């Protein structure tokens, strides 16, 4: 953990070397999702609702997913940009150091400019929450936290899967964008507005549904029954990262036996 | 003219090298298109009043948008050019025996054309084969189609002319970040890439109509579906031509100005 | 200290094909070629040795270094270094080694060199006291005082390489692997780097294994060379022996006052001749150096004479020829 913090520090210093472009890019990261949010707002202004969901309910969903996405982009960028590490042969360097590859890859890159995006999603979150008549309980508050954490874990898991693919091929990795950028785009609306097969895929294969649908229903009071079960769904979703981690380990082993 | 042709050819063969990347891009755009359509589908299902553009028209709008993404997005840029300008290596370009504006214009045009050729056909092909209601439909008549083609091409020319200002601005700011930001956020929003222009509130539509961005994407896509009737499309094409003329002349003037400055300063 | 026994390693390489049809085909199946990168390599290295590991490009030098540093797992064979099997106890093992890849950097590009050092300290968990002592010594001997506060991107290649070497020694490794440490450096930097390698070898007893294409590195540093070609071990032993085996010839370069009559000395052959200078080659076992010089001074008015052994590059070229690699 201390090492991770050190990595953070050194990369922050690096990015501060280019201060103007740092601030401009941060501002950009603030505004780009803002136009998407503006689009969402305008659509609600015209249509009023989407399959029974009101604007602020969807805004809450939007904020949670974008928050999770920006956090994972900020902190797990090392995996997202892993292909360049492999192409340049820098991965060998990580292997001759006495630390786990996971921490080192994680520490190889941070994008602090993504804080702009994070800030934007926090503002949307506060705005949405202050306009929703939610009866807050501690379980609901914890659920909300877990939704964000679990979202970060899912996005990170996808980055790891894509990074592991680099050990076999570095071509066509953009497909992973379907699940990261595409997943974000899709998950900013509650999952049940989509066709069944999409909803199923994104619940059981890549468990976005456990972040943006089931617990969301609970927080908004659209469900009956035990809250604990809904509290558990984001935790289940977060477990997604475990197989990704194993796959990563497998990839490293493959790399070390082929050296390709 | 021959120079421009060989630039295009070179770009095409370079683009072919990255087949896998192109395929991956196609897959991503496909997914994206699907998601967007489903969102609109959900909105339309419970619409209280009839929206100003039908779901059918929206669907072809979205597929065209995905197929010709590189014709219409601002973030598709040439980092080489940025580097050339900021590093001062621009001097080499000035040694070439052709006018810089034309040369860069051709280069940028070629980049967009070559990536689009690789991507648009697979996307269009599959989108026609999709099950209803997600499939793309043919334009109502041949005339409409021809109008669409000319509008699309003019839109591309227009977009490249707009993007030239991006590079020109880097001469002054020395960092592409800021201009890229303004251009891509405002440009893409007002081109109708986030939501189609007819779905915007009236006051926003008024702004969009004044700016050049909408003529690069929103206009040709709606000509295709017939949402913009033929006679209006003719007028639109004239407006496109007008914009193109003005922007190219302005861009050329501005580029010559900034270059003269660079030369005077001694690079 | 280092013991390699029967190490073999082969790669599977997919055949790359050009053309659209071939590319489409390769989507479904790929033809593979198996390349033996290493064939049955065995050697052992004692503590405190400096070993030059040489061979042409693609001979398997990097693969061996990668296996010895725990990056790659070999197909067969055993390797024991300081009691560890590198690829098995990776994390424990790599604390004891330092690796410099000459063509890649381990320093963070945009921050001062010192910051990189501090981070490496944390990565290797070096105690503060020990770190301070080491870094002071490194800064002094590598003459880094003036550059440790500058970002890496502003350093010259030579300064960067010195910093790289310092970075790989922060945790006081017992073994140092240097993969082409002098590549691209100017003459002055090369000498500085060599001098430093000698120093840490002498004073700290660090075992050094270096690969290089610059024979001067080998000549000034390594007593022992291991030559590898096409994955097989070709020669392992003293540099001098290698020289004796092939480098029997010496050359004499003589400058003299203008003389248009060609020089003739028995037992020598003329490599080049001009009215001011001649370069002769001879076999010292048959003709004595002093004899050649006497003959020379008889025939011309000598201004300057230099005698050289055959340069090691020539020996290596001969060796490569002999083994047909």
């Amino acid at each position: 953990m201390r090492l991770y913090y050190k990595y953070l520090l050194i990369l922050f210093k690096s990015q501060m070397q280019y201060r103007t472009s740092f601030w401009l890019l941060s501002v950009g990261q603030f505004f780009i999702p803002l136009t998407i949010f503006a689009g969402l707002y305008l659509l609600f202004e015209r249509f009023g609702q989407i399959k029974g969901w009101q604007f602020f309910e969807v805004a809450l969903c939007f904020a949670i997913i974008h928050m999770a996405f920006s956090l994972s982009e900020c902190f797990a960028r090392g995996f997202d940009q892993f292909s360049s590490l492999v192409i340049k042969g820098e991965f060998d360097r990580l292997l001759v150091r006495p630390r786990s590859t996971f921490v080192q890859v994680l520490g190889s890159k941070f994008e602090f400019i993504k804080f702009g995006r994070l800030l934007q999603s926090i503002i949307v979150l506060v705005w949405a929450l202050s306009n929703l008549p939610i009866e807050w309980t501690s379980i609901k508050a914890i659920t909300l936290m877990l939704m964000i954490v679990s979202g970060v874990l899912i996005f990170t898991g996808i980055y790891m899967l894509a990074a592991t693919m680099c050990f076999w091929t570095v071509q066509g990795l953009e497909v992973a964008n379907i699940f990261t950028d595409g997943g974000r785009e899709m998950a900013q609306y509650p999952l049940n507005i989509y066709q069944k097969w999409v909803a199923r895929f994104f619940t059981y294969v890549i468990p976005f549904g456990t972040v943006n649908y089931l617990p969301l229903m609970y927080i908004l009071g659209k469900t009956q029954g035990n809250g604990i079960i809904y509290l558990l769904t984001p935790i289940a979703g977060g477990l997604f990262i475990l197989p990704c981690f194993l796959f990563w380990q497998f990839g490293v082993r493959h790399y070390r036996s082929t050296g390709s | 003219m021959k120079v421009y042709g060989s630039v295009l050819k070179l770009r095409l063969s370079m683009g072919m090298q990255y087949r896998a990347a192109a395929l991956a891009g196609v897959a991503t755009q496909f997914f994206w298109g699907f998601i967007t359509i489903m969102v609109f589908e959900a909105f339309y299902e419970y619409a209280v009043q009839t929206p100003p553009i039908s779901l059918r028209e929206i669907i072809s709008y979205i597929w065209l948008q995905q197929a010709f993404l590189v014709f219409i997005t601002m973030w598709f840029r040439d980092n080489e050019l940025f580097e050339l300008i900021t590093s001062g290596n621009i001097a080499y370009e000035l040694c070439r025996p052709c006018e810089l504006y034309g040369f860069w214009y051709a280069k940028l045009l070629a980049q967009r054309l070559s990536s689009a050729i690789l991507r648009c056909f697979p996307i269009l092909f599959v989108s026609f084969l999709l099950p209803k209601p997600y499939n793309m439909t043919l334009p109502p008549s041949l005339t409409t189609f021809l109008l669409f083609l000319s509008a699309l091409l003019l839109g591309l020319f227009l977009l490249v002319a707009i993007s030239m200002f991006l590079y020109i601005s880097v001469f002054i700011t020395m960092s592409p970040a800021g201009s890229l930001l303004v251009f891509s956020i405002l440009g893409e929003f007002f081109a109708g890439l986030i939501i189609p222009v007819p779905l915007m509130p009236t006051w926003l539509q008024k702004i969009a109509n004044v700016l050049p961005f909408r003529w690069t994407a929103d206009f040709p896509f709606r000509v295709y579906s017939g949402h913009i009737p033929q006679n209006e499309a003719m007028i639109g094409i004239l407006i496109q031509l007008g914009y193109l003329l003005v922007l190219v002349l302005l861009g050329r003037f501005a580029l010559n100005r900034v270059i003269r400055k660079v030369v005077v300063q001694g690079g | 200290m280092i013991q390699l026994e029967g190490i073999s390693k082969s790669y599977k390489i997919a055949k790359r094909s050009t053309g659209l049809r071939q590319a489409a085909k390769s989507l479904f199946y790929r033809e593979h070629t198996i390349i033996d990168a290493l064939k049955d390599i065995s050697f052992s290295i004692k503590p405190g040795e400096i070993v030059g590991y040489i061979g042409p490009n693609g001979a398997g030098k990097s693969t061996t270094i990668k296996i010895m540093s725990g990056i790659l797992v070999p197909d067969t064979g055993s390797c024991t270094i300081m009691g560890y099997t590198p690829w098995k106890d990776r994390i424990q093992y790599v604390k004891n080694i330092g690796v410099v890849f000459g063509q890649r950097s381990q320093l963070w590009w945009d921050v001062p060199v010192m910051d990189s050092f501090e981070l490496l300290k944390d990565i290797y968990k070096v105690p503060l006291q020990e770190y301070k002592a080491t870094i002071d010594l490194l800064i002094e001997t590598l003459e880094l005082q003036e550059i440790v506060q500058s970002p890496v991107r502003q350093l010259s290649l030579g300064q960067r390489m010195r910093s790289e070497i310092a970075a790989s020694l922060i945790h006081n490794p017992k073994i140092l692997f240097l993969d082409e440490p002098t590549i691209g450096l100017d003459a002055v930097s090369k000498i500085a780097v060599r001098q430093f390698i000698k120093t840490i070898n002498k004073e700290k007893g660090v075992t050094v294994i270096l690969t290089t294409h610059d024979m001067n590195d080998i000549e000034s540093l390594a007593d022992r060379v291991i030559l590898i070609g096409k994955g097989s071990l070709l020669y392992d032993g003293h540099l001098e022996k290698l020289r004796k085996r092939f480098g029997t010839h010496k050359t004499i370069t003589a400058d003299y006052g203008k003389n248009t009559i060609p020089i003739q000395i028995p037992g020598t052959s003329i490599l080049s001749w001009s009215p001011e200078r001649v370069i002769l080659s001879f076999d010292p076992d048959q003709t004595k150096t002093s004899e050649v010089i006497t003959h020379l001074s008889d025939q011309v008015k000598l201004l300057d004479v230099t005698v050289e052994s055959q340069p090691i590059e020539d020996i290596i070229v001969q060796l490569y020829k002999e083994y047909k690699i």
Side-chain angles (χ1 to χ4, degrees):
Chain A
M1 230 26 225
R2 217 173 81 89
L3 179 68
Y4 191 69
Y5 168 72
K6 292 274 174 155
Y7 271 124
L8 237 134
L9 210 67
I10 203 164
L11 288 159
F12 185 66
K13 274 190 193 167
S14 302
Q15 290 180 18
M16 271 307 161
Q17 293 269 317
Y18 309 94
R19 213 154 299 190
T20 337
S21 101
F22 173 82
W23 287 115
L24 278 170
L25 289 171
S26 302
V27 171
Q29 287 296 326
F30 180 82
F31 278 106
I32 289 167
L34 195 70
T35 56
I36 299 172
F37 185 69
L40 188 130
Y41 176 81
L42 294 175
L43 285 177
F44 271 96
E45 193 171 85
R46 183 165 292 278
F47 292 97
Q49 45 119 357
I50 184 166
K51 278 202 181 165
W53 296 84
Q54 299 304 314
F55 169 66
F56 285 111
E57 295 168 347
V58 175
L60 178 65
C61 183
F62 176 97
I64 288 169
I65 287 298
H66 276 261
M67 200 179 279
F69 180 75
S70 56
L71 280 170
S72 65
E73 253 199 327
C74 204
F75 293 107
R77 194 69 169 168
F79 280 102
D80 191 26
Q81 309 245 301
F82 185 68
S83 61
S84 70
L85 215 62
V86 167
I87 292 168
K88 281 192 272 171
E90 296 285 339
F91 188 62
D92 288 351
R93 168 64 59 201
L94 304 190
L95 281 172
V96 299
R97 288 185 181 149
R99 290 304 182 100
S100 79
T101 49
F102 178 74
V103 175
Q104 291 192 69
V105 174
L106 217 53
S108 68
K109 200 140 194 157
F110 291 95
E111 299 247 322
F112 293 97
I113 53 164
K114 303 290 176 188
F115 277 124
R117 195 185 268 267
L118 184 65
L119 183 68
Q120 191 263 349
S121 53
I122 289 173
I123 292 171
V124 173
L125 184 77
V126 172
W127 191 42
L129 286 179
S130 61
N131 280 288
L132 282 168
I134 299 173
E135 288 167 37
W136 284 102
T137 61
S138 52
I139 297 183
K140 279 189 178 178
I142 296 171
T143 310
L144 185 69
M145 294 289 173
L146 283 175
M147 284 161 82
I148 297 166
V149 172
S150 166
V152 173
L153 291 178
I154 293 171
F155 279 120
T156 308
I158 299 167
Y159 285 139
M160 284 180 78
L161 288 183
T164 310
M165 289 308 295
C166 295
F167 291 127
W168 282 273
T169 174
V170 287
Q171 285 192 326
L173 287 170
E174 290 87 346
V175 175
N177 291 349
I178 291 181
F179 303 111
T180 52
D181 289 347
R184 180 201 69 212
E185 213 55 25
M186 180 224 54
Q188 68 196 17
Y189 288 93
L191 207 56
N192 76 327
I193 70 155
Y194 299 102
Q195 295 292 321
K196 276 269 155 42
W197 61 271
V198 178
R200 274 202 202 110
F201 180 83
F202 281 103
T203 304
Y204 298 114
V205 183
I206 297 176
F208 279 116
T210 63
V211 173
N212 81 336
Y213 180 57
L214 297 171
L216 190 71
M217 301 260 285
Y218 167 64
I219 287 184
L220 295 174
K222 296 195 176 196
T223 57
Q224 277 105 43
N226 198 340
I228 298 294
I229 294 175
Y230 290 96
L231 178 82
L232 288 176
T233 49
I235 297 180
L239 291 180
F240 173 71
I241 200 167
L242 287 181
C244 301
F245 186 73
L246 289 178
F247 185 51
W248 166 255
Q249 297 284 21
F250 174 72
V252 173
R253 212 167 308 141
H254 169 82
Y255 175 83
R256 292 178 66 201
S257 67
T258 58
S260 52
Chain B
M1 224 34 217
K2 216 179 149 195
V3 184
Y4 304 149
S6 41
V7 170
L8 178 63
K9 223 162 136 192
L10 186 75
R11 281 283 154 189
L12 255 180
S13 63
M14 267 164 75
M16 282 304 272
Q17 299 269 317
Y18 299 102
R19 279 183 300 255
L23 263 177
V26 167
T28 314
Q29 278 163 253
F30 233 91
F31 179 79
W32 208 275
F34 247 111
I35 292 299
T36 322
I37 289 175
M38 281 185 209
V39 169
F40 279 113
E41 198 189 7
F43 270 120
Y44 271 72
E45 206 174 311
Y46 293 91
V48 207
Q49 349 138 291
T50 325
I53 178 168
S54 74
L55 187 60
R56 277 269 68 152
E57 287 161 338
I58 289 261
I59 288 171
S60 27
Y61 189 104
I62 287 167
W63 285 130
L64 286 170
Q65 184 179 313
Q66 293 305 321
F68 295 103
L69 200 65
V70 287
F71 276 16
I72 55 184
T73 52
M74 282 289 167
W75 51 255
F76 187 85
R77 58 190 185 264
D78 185 358
N79 283 320
E80 246 174 73
L81 268 191
F82 284 138
E83 238 178 80
L84 210 65
I85 299 168
T86 48
S87 69
N89 284 339
I90 181 86
Y92 293 115
E93 291 278 293
L94 291 176
C95 301
R96 300 234 169 94
C98 48
E99 208 221 326
L100 206 56
Y101 189 90
F103 187 69
W104 282 8
Y105 191 98
K107 192 178 175 196
L108 295 172
L109 187 68
Q111 276 173 350
R112 284 182 192 265
L113 260 180
S114 62
S115 342
I117 287 168
L118 285 172
R119 289 173 184 214
C120 74
F121 292 113
I123 292 181
L124 288 179
F125 181 71
V126 179
S127 62
F128 273 110
L129 295 180
L130 285 174
K132 278 184 181 175
Y134 301 106
N135 66 328
M136 171 110 178
T137 36
L138 288 170
S141 71
L142 184 67
T143 333
T144 313
F145 182 68
L146 291 178
L147 280 172
F148 159 72
L149 270 191
S150 22
L152 183 73
L153 271 180
L154 277 173
L156 172 65
F157 290 149
L158 193 55
L159 186 79
V160 175
I162 295 173
S163 72
M164 280 299 284
F165 283 98
L166 191 65
Y167 298 94
I168 293 169
S169 76
V170 176
F171 275 100
I172 301 158
T173 60
M174 278 301 156
S175 154
S179 337
L180 207 57
L181 189 76
V182 176
F183 274 83
S184 57
I185 290 174
L186 289 181
E188 295 191 356
F189 189 81
F190 285 110
L193 294 192
I194 312 267
I195 60 170
V197 173
L199 290 181
M200 290 178 186
T202 341
W203 60 274
L204 261 179
Q205 284 192 41
K206 273 185 192 146
I207 302 178
N209 279 332
V210 178
L211 295 170
F213 303 110
R214 154 185 127 75
W215 300 98
T216 65
D218 175 73
F219 171 69
F221 297 162
R222 275 159 58 203
V223 169
Y224 180 90
S225 62
H227 187 255
I228 293 178
Q230 289 182 7
N231 51 344
E232 268 180 53
M234 299 283 246
I235 299 168
I237 286 176
L238 284 180
I239 296 176
Q240 277 185 315
L241 275 172
Y243 257 126
L244 185 62
L245 193 71
V246 170
L247 288 177
V248 166
L249 286 178
L250 258 178
R252 215 161 159 171
F253 173 71
L255 186 66
N256 285 336
R257 282 282 306 257
V258 288
I259 282 179
R260 202 171 317 139
K261 236 188 202 161
V262 171
V263 174
V264 169
Q265 283 165 356
Chain C
M1 187 131 195
I2 298 179
Q3 196 106 35
L4 265 75
E5 214 138 334
I7 294 280
S8 297
K9 174 89 204 161
S10 56
Y11 296 123
K12 225 194 213 175
I13 290 179
K15 271 188 191 158
R16 285 284 152 113
S17 39
T18 46
L20 201 62
R21 196 198 292 173
Q22 293 297 321
K25 233 187 200 173
S26 71
L27 281 176
F28 303 103
Y29 72 96
R30 281 223 170 120
E31 283 176 69
H32 292 281
T33 341
I34 297 202
I35 291 184
D36 293 315
L38 291 178
K39 284 177 275 190
D40 195 24
I41 300 282
S42 306
F43 57 78
S44 64
I45 294 169
K46 289 194 281 293
E49 270 192 289
I50 298 185
V51 177
Y53 197 57
I54 54 176
N57 285 328
K61 291 186 307 249
S62 300
T63 308
T64 323
I65 296 276
K66 279 183 183 174
I67 287 173
M68 287 198 288
S69 52
I71 295 170
L72 277 182
V73 183
D75 298 340
T76 56
S78 70
C79 170
T80 317
I81 300 180
M82 302 179 69
Y84 296 103
T85 301
W87 56 90
K88 279 192 185 136
D89 322 299
R90 188 182 70 80
I91 287 186
Q92 277 308 309
Y93 166 70
V94 295
K95 282 180 187 166
N96 299 296
I97 62 165
V99 187
V100 175
F101 297 110
Q103 313 194 34
R104 297 176 205 144
S105 177
Q106 62 168 320
L107 303 167
W108 280 259
W109 189 247
D110 284 320
V111 293
V113 179
M114 207 58 191
D115 289 13
S116 292
F117 289 170
E118 304 239 328
L119 182 57
L120 285 166
K121 176 199 92 181
D122 288 318
I123 291 175
Y124 284 97
K125 298 181 185 164
V126 184
L128 193 64
Q129 211 91 54
E130 196 185 319
Y131 166 74
K132 274 199 175 131
T134 318
I135 208 74
D136 285 347
L137 189 73
L138 286 173
I139 287 177
E140 202 190 302
T141 41
L142 281 165
E143 291 172 23
L144 297 173
Q145 295 90 342
E146 273 149 43
I147 56 174
V148 282
Q149 295 307 335
S150 343
V152 178
R153 63 167 193 279
Q154 292 171 0
L155 301 185
S156 72
L157 207 55
Q159 291 172 328
R160 223 169 79 201
M161 186 48 73
R162 279 188 281 147
S163 314
E164 291 282 343
I165 293 178
S168 64
L169 288 169
I170 279 174
H171 55 293
N172 269 317
K174 304 285 182 315
I175 303 174
L176 184 58
F177 293 101
L178 298 163
D179 196 3
E180 310 201 9
T182 56
I183 195 159
L185 299 189
D186 61 73
V188 180
S189 307
K190 273 184 183 175
I191 290 169
V193 166
R194 281 176 207 146
Q195 197 54 47
F196 177 74
I197 294 171
K198 258 188 208 165
T199 314
I200 54 154
N201 171 259
K202 275 229 180 71
E203 289 181 5
K204 293 201 163 183
V206 175
T207 311
V208 179
I209 290 117
L210 84 156
T211 73
T212 181
H213 284 290
D214 185 341
M215 288 310 154
N216 291 321
D217 287 350
I218 301 284
E219 217 157 346
S220 66
L221 283 173
D223 296 328
R224 177 175 164 198
V225 290
I226 294 176
L227 177 72
I228 179 175
K230 281 198 176 155
S232 305
L233 196 96
L234 302 177
Y235 176 84
D236 178 1
H238 275 286
L239 187 61
E240 273 313 305
K241 248 191 222 155
L242 193 67
R243 207 197 281 283
K244 285 233 174 72
R245 211 165 119 204
F246 296 94
T248 46
H249 287 259
K250 284 194 173 188
T251 54
I252 284 186
T253 310
D255 293 305
Y256 40 80
K258 206 162 183 148
N259 187 331
T260 43
I261 309 159
I263 288 162
Q264 276 187 321
I265 297 167
T268 65
S269 55
I270 294 171
L271 295 179
S272 83
W273 179 86
S274 75
E276 282 101 18
R277 168 182 270 196
V278 71
I279 301 175
L280 300 166
S281 158
F282 64 98
D283 185 346
D285 291 344
Q286 284 161 24
T287 320
K288 279 192 186 132
T289 314
S290 57
E291 262 172 47
V292 181
I293 294 175
T294 319
H295 275 289
L296 262 173
S297 61
D298 287 349
Q299 295 180 18
V300 292
K301 194 174 163 234
L302 277 178
L303 297 174
D304 189 22
V305 178
T306 40
V307 185
E308 278 167 354
S309 303
Q310 191 180 13
I312 188 150
E313 274 96 340
D314 291 357
I315 300 178
I316 298 297
V317 171
Q318 270 187 359
L319 254 174
Y320 287 174
K321 262 190 206 148
E322 183 171 313
Y323 291 109
K324 299 202 177 74
I325 53 178

